[in-house]
Amino acid sequence: MPRIAVILGVGPGLSASIARKLTATHNLVLLSRSMPDSFPRLNLDLPPSSYLALPSDGSRPSLDTAISEAKKKWPQGTIDVGIFNTGGGFTPGPFLEQKEETLRFNFEKNVIAAWNFGQALIPVFLDNAPGENGGKGTLIYTGATMAVRGGAAFSAMAPTMFARRALTQSLAREFGPKGVHVAHVVVDGRIGTEAGEEGQHLNPKEIAETYVSLVNQHKSVWTQELDIRPYDETF
């Protein structure tokens, strides 16, 4: 019975690395606003039978459609992984120059979409039989430094990332006892390329290894939050 992973916010960086790593164990549902047109940019060498590339803006109808299409394509499959790797715009600037609509936009993309993702996937997970790690599904949200530390120029972004972090804590406490692993990964630094760069860059291939380790964690040692950074990042 094939396992299925749903990834929202798929692009040629971290999400592509996560997708590439998960292909060993999962069929993939790849979601972003620009899918399926942007699929070639991912450089994923996948047979058509192993993936779906669908448009989604993080709204509940688009997520429900994606789940429905996955069930049609793999009727015997089990959706047991969700990766939320999307966010609002990068909108730094002095607080007194920021606009309310910028904050609302970031809240929609960083919190409402994250909420929708959880509401769409958690009921599916709860219907699963426990897997090899004892759990029914894993839901991972990508976070950032601003989720734990608000910078002076990040007033229109940091509050929404704090809220996303709080959402993951609430979900973990409610659904962990029911077999759903919810984790928040604080990516503290700039993400580079799989080829690697010298200096303060995280290698997306190695980040993907970390995500897969969370997917495989036994329920007796589930991680709710971890932070990752390159060895020479100041913190």
Side-chain angles (χ1 to χ4, degrees):
M1 188 157 47
R3 299 171 67 188
I4 304 164
V6 181
I7 307 175
L8 178 62
V10 177
L14 174 57
S15 292
S17 295
I18 295 170
R20 197 170 290 114
K21 184 66 180 176
L22 283 171
T23 55
T25 54
H26 287 73
N27 291 332
L28 304 175
V29 181
L30 306 172
L31 306 176
S32 77
R33 284 176 172 269
S34 59
M35 283 292 173
D37 293 344
S38 60
F39 178 78
R41 296 176 55 223
L42 303 180
N43 293 317
L44 296 175
D45 185 17
L46 301 175
S49 61
S50 70
Y51 74 91
L52 281 170
L54 301 171
S56 175
D57 57 0
S59 64
R60 184 61 187 272
S62 70
L63 293 169
D64 287 344
T65 296
I67 292 171
S68 176
E69 290 299 315
K71 290 180 177 179
K72 289 178 185 176
K73 183 160 186 171
W74 303 294
Q76 302 303 315
T78 299
I79 300 173
D80 66 354
V81 172
I83 309 289
F84 186 91
N85 190 49
T86 188
F90 186 67
T91 55
F95 173 68
L96 296 179
E97 297 176 11
Q98 293 284 3
K99 303 297 183 183
E100 180 181 324
E101 53 263 30
T102 303
L103 177 63
R104 288 185 180 276
F105 172 81
N106 287 327
F107 191 83
E108 182 74 28
K109 301 306 175 187
N110 289 333
V111 184
I112 301 300
W115 168 287
N116 289 338
F117 196 67
Q119 283 212 326
L121 282 175
I122 287 175
V124 178
F125 292 170
L126 292 175
D127 283 340
N128 292 339
E132 291 183 4
N133 67 351
K136 296 183 175 184
T138 302
L139 194 59
I140 302 176
Y141 289 87
T142 302
T145 309
M146 70 179 89
V148 295
R149 186 175 72 244
F154 292 83
S155 60
M157 297 180 288
T160 67
M161 295 302 287
F162 266 71
R164 182 192 292 182
R165 183 188 186 210
L167 173 65
T168 69
Q169 293 174 355
S170 293
L171 296 182
R173 290 185 170 97
E174 181 173 355
F175 294 103
K178 299 177 182 179
V180 177
H181 182 194
V182 182
H184 180 246
V185 180
V186 178
V187 180
D188 184 19
R190 293 174 294 175
I191 299 175
T193 66
E194 289 194 359
E197 294 99 349
E198 289 297 323
Q200 296 177 339
H201 290 83
L202 296 99
N203 188 313
K205 181 179 179 181
E206 301 305 326
I207 300 175
E209 293 277 359
T210 300
Y211 277 56
V212 172
S213 73
L214 291 172
V215 170
N216 293 330
Q217 272 187 336
H218 190 268
K219 68 177 183 179
S220 65
V221 289
W222 275 349
T223 296
Q224 198 285 305
E225 181 173 81
L226 60 82
D227 56 346
I228 54 176
R229 60 183 61 85
Y231 68 96
D232 55 355
E233 178 77 13
T234 300
F235 68 102

